[in-house]
């Protein structure tokens, strides 16, 4: 069996997309001066999240600034003035978005059973989270659901100095393992599976039946891709993969 398993977080362990939809959905429904229908505004927020998150991951801005950039583009569509002060933008994010967003975090029901089964294996792999998210927020998610204890490390661009997919090699060095002995599990076919394979790891696709970016059906994978539909199937899958 592989000696190290990396887990993606959002879309793999915690349902990030539904939390975003819940938080921003409440905001747009309560916006009397909005310039577009609620469904368009929710889609716009998701688009802005992806755009400015990429800027953060490229080192072009801080995590707080990526929120501010998103808000500067979004508020005019919401029919609200854009504060000039970064502090006022931060307060809007904290009070009107993050409160509901964090309350809406949900851990997928197959996560803890999978981790428990891996822990019980006689010579089970070491486990780590490898995520492109903000370290404080990602650790808060794991702590909320009692998952931190299962992982030897929570690795983000802050620790590694790079985001996925560049971070795979660095993550392996951090965990003192060879890529050939490491597995990466995630819901994103390209960045979690194909990119991990290019870096020498074994990528396993957790196909939850939805495309994380579009919300539509899952993408079509090559037949050679290792695929599971439930995390609870991972321990057996690892055993068969290494047989």
């Amino acid at each position: 069996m592989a000696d190290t398993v990396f887990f993606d977080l959002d879309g793999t362990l915690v349902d990030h997309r539904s939390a975003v939809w819940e938080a921003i959905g409440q905001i747009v429904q309560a916006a009397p001066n909005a310039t577009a229908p609620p469904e368009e505004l929710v889609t716009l927020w998701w688009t802005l999240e992806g755009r400015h998150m990429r800027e953060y991951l490229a080192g072009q801005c801080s995590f707080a600034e990526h929120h501010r950039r998103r808000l500067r583009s979004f508020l005019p569509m919401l029919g609200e003035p854009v504060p000039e002060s970064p502090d006022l933008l931060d307060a809007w994010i904290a009070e009107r978005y993050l409160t509901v967003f964090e309350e809406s975090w949900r851990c997928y029901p197959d996560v803890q059973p999978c981790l428990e089964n891996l822990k019980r294996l006689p010579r089970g792999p070491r486990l780590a989270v490898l995520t492109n998210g903000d370290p404080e927020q990602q650790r808060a998610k794991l702590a909320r659901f009692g998952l931190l204890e299962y992982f030897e490390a929570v690795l983000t661009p802050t620790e590694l100095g790079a985001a996925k997919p560049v971070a795979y090699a660095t993550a392996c060095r951090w965990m003192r393992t060879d890529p050939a002995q490491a597995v990466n599990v995630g819901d994103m076919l390209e960045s979690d599976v194909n990119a991990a394979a290019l870096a020498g790891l074994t990528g396993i696709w957790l196909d939850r039946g939805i495309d994380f970016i579009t919300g539509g059906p899952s993408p079509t994978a090559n037949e050679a891709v290792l695929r599971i539909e439930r995390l609870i199937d991972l321990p057996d899958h690892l055993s068969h993969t290494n047989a």
Side-chain angles (χ1 to χ4, degrees):
M1 181 174 290
D3 67 14
T4 303
V5 177
F6 295 104
F7 287 86
D8 172 56
L9 202 163
D10 293 321
T12 299
L13 304 179
V14 174
D15 188 351
H16 172 85
R17 185 183 177 90
S18 293
V20 171
W21 247 241
E22 179 65 27
I24 204 64
Q26 290 190 24
I27 290 169
V28 302
Q29 290 289 347
N33 300 315
T35 63
E39 59 272 15
E40 290 185 20
L41 292 173
V42 173
T43 299
L44 172 63
W45 180 266
W46 186 256
T47 301
L48 292 171
E49 174 176 315
R51 177 186 306 165
H52 297 302
M53 188 68 177
R54 287 191 293 271
E55 294 171 350
Y56 160 67
L57 294 175
Q60 298 172 9
C61 65
S62 67
F63 190 73
E65 177 60 23
H66 113 279
H67 270 143
R68 297 175 196 133
R69 291 182 179 186
R70 194 190 316 179
L71 196 55
R72 291 186 188 108
S73 298
F74 187 73
L75 283 177
M77 300 297 294
L78 203 62
E80 296 187 21
V82 181
E84 293 186 9
S85 165
D87 289 342
L88 291 177
L89 291 169
D90 292 346
W92 193 103
I93 288 288
E95 296 167 10
R96 295 182 60 185
Y97 177 70
L98 287 180
T99 299
V100 178
F101 172 63
E102 292 174 2
E103 289 175 352
S104 302
W105 290 340
R106 297 291 181 270
C107 180
Y108 293 108
D110 55 2
V111 173
Q112 196 156 14
C114 167
L115 298 176
E116 280 292 326
N117 287 349
L118 288 173
K119 186 170 72 171
R120 293 190 189 104
L121 292 174
R123 289 181 293 176
R126 299 155 64 214
L127 307 181
V129 171
L130 179 56
T131 169
N132 281 347
D134 172 71
E136 182 177 352
Q137 189 176 82
Q138 301 301 67
R139 286 184 172 85
K141 291 175 185 175
L142 295 167
R144 167 84 61 83
F145 302 110
L147 301 180
L148 274 173
E149 65 183 77
Y150 293 99
F151 298 105
E152 186 172 320
V154 179
L155 303 176
T156 75
T158 298
E159 288 82 16
L160 301 178
K164 294 184 287 186
V166 176
Y168 285 116
T170 309
C172 287
R173 289 194 294 270
W174 185 288
M175 293 295 290
R176 304 177 305 281
T177 188
D178 188 281
Q181 297 299 315
V183 167
N184 190 73
V185 182
D187 65 297
M188 300 280 281
L189 181 59
E190 286 303 320
S191 60
D192 290 326
V193 181
N194 294 340
L198 286 175
L201 293 78
T202 297
I204 296 181
W205 182 30
L206 175 60
D207 179 9
R208 292 198 179 277
I210 183 173
D211 186 290
F212 182 83
I213 300 298
T214 68
S218 299
T220 301
N222 185 289
E223 291 183 0
V225 168
L226 301 176
R227 174 182 170 275
I228 56 175
E229 295 183 355
R230 306 177 306 162
L231 272 181
I232 195 65
D233 297 329
L234 179 64
D236 284 343
H237 200 80
L238 289 174
S239 299
H240 296 153
T241 300
N242 290 273

